[in-house]
């Protein structure tokens, strides 16, 4: 990237997996990006201070206001003096900070407010926090202008690239037959449901192809993450659930495909490295040369595709159901899953009971419109509490 393309960015969730990789991209392209602000939860204050000092940021925030004194001390020890903010309101202020692009890498439903604030401030939103779009669909879509949201998930970035291939003026939805979202299958691909009865957190964290945070990794083991991605694709690309297919691709090289009505399928391929979709979302419409290592075409490759086993992994079918219900249903699906995932990690809930419990919570929920943040968060809170009750 050339000096004249310098782009100012804010990274939310900077100490997490996506956030640290986004800063890797920025560090590798110092003439392309200026990091204006950072925000994180507050659990890794030393890393946050180190990042802030390394990039000379203007502002830094921690969602845990109690961590502000420790952050100030850590910054002072490194000779850094950015504006320091605390609490959820501080993170929201960083999300609206003067910049070109906000990357929202906050994990889970906590990212909703930041997504809404960034959009309302007119920032381009590089969206890694899929949950905010899924639970706040109508709210997010109401605020977002065309092209304002750029997906960071590798699957949706792949779909976007395949659609861009249709031409610079966008694509004709009537020319698309279906989107094909690929899934690695996770660590338990090929196993029958009964074979997963004794899965431990350590087993679920052993993803075969991707290096991600624990939250997303276990969601990938249950394929809840893929269910969330189906809902996200529906909202991002305005296609019905009957036009979004999931296929298991263990090698994780084809990240997704678009099948057109004439029988042609366009696929996006690259090694499984999140820095590519991150770089593309931060630099769009340009591409960063050498953002990741390309596929070595001098070697032989074998890529396979398998149908999804909905009996062993019912989470995707459940996601289609809640996505079709709309309103507060997706928020309930997501919140119940987050509560169940925590219970599983604590050893209080069996692996198979994660999705089973989510399904029970979804079944009990009375769907209402998701017309305000308060309604979404109320459904979220109810689902978490009910999931915890059912987990005991």
């Amino acid at each position: 990237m050339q000096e004249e393309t310098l782009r100012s960015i804010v990274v939310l969730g900077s100490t997490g997996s996506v956030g640290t990789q986004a800063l890797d991209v920025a560090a590798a392209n110092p003439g392309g990006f200026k990091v204006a602000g950072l925000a994180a939860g507050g659990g890794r204050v030393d890393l946050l201070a180190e990042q802030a000092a390394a990039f000379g940021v203007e502002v830094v925030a921690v969602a845990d206001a109690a961590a502000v004194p420790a952050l100030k001390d850590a910054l002072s020890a490194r000779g850094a003096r950015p504006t320091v903010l605390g609490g959820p309101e501080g993170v929201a202020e960083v999300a609206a900070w003067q910049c070109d692009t906000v990357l929202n890498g906050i994990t889970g439903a906590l990212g909703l407010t930041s997504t809404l604030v960034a959009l309302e401030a007119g920032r381009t939103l590089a969206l890694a926090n899929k949950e905010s779009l899924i639970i706040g669909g109508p709210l997010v879509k109401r605020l977002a202008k065309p092209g304002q949201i750029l997906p960071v998930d590798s699957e949706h970035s792949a779909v976007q690239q395949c659609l861009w291939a249709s031409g610079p003026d966008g694509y004709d939805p009537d020319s698309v037959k279906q989107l094909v979202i690929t899934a690695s299958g996770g660590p338990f691909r090929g196993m029958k449901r009964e074979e997963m009865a004794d899965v431990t957190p350590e087993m679920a964290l052993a993803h075969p192809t991707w290096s991600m945070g624990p939250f997303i990794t276990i969601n990938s083991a249950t394929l809840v993450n893929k269910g969330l991605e189906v809902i996200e694709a529906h909202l991002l690309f305005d296609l019905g659930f009957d036009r979004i297919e999931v296929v298991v691709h263990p090698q994780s090289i084809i990240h997704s495909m678009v099948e057109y009505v004439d029988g042609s399928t366009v696929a996006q391929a690259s090694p499984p490295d999140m820095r590519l979709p991150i770089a593309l979302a931060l630099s769009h419409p340009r591409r960063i040369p050498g953002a990741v290592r390309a596929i070595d075409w001098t070697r032989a490759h074998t890529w396979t595709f398998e149908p999804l086993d909905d009996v062993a992994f019912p989470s995707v079918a459940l996601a289609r159901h809640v996505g079709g219900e709309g309103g507060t249903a997706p928020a309930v699906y997501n919140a119940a899953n987050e509560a169940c995932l925590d219970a599983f990690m604590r050893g209080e809930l069996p692996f198979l009971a994660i999705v089973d419990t989510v399904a029970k919570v979804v079944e009990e929920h009375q769907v209402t419109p998701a017309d305000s943040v308060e309604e979404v968060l109320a459904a979220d809170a109810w689902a978490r509490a009910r999931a915890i009750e059912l987990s005991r």
Side-chain angles (χ1 to χ4, degrees), residues 2 7 32 36 99 104 109 114 174 201 205 216 242 258 284 321 324 343 388:
Q2 301 301 315
R7 188 164 300 186
C99 66
N104 187 355
S114 295
D174 292 334
L205 286 168
I216 298 176
D242 60 334
V258 175
H284 178 73
H321 167 72
I388 291 170

Side-chain angles (χ1 to χ4, degrees), residues 308-325:
L308 177 65
D309 183 347
D310 284 317
V311 175
F313 300 98
S315 51
V316 175
L318 181 60
R320 291 183 189 277
H321 167 72
V322 300
E325 290 269 287

Side-chain angles (χ1 to χ4, degrees), residues 326-392:
T328 52
V332 166
Y333 175 88
N334 179 73
N337 175 68
E338 290 185 9
C340 289
L341 189 151
D342 287 340
F344 169 68
M345 289 294 289
R346 293 192 301 267
E348 299 170 2
L349 192 69
F351 180 76
L352 291 176
I354 296 174
V355 177
D356 289 349
T357 304
V358 173
K360 290 177 184 176
V361 176
V362 166
E363 183 179 5
E364 292 181 9
H365 177 60
Q366 298 295 315
V367 180
T368 60
D371 290 334
S372 69
V373 173
E374 292 73 23
E375 288 172 307
V376 171
L377 295 182
D380 178 283
W382 174 84
R384 290 175 193 276
R386 185 59 182 141
I388 291 170
E389 289 175 1
L390 291 171
S391 300
R392 289 173 179 157

Side-chain angles (χ1 to χ4, degrees), residues 259-281:
E259 179 184 339
Y260 290 92
V261 293
D262 60 0
S264 175
T265 298
V266 177
Q268 186 269 326
S270 62
D273 189 328
M274 280 301 297
R275 289 174 299 171
L276 179 60
I278 289 169
L280 187 58

Side-chain angles (χ1 to χ4, degrees), residues 23 27 35 38 47-57 75 78 80:
L23 293 179
V35 182
L38 302 172
L47 176 57
L48 181 58
E50 183 180 321
Q51 293 172 338
F55 288 95
V57 303
L75 288 167
R78 292 166 172 80

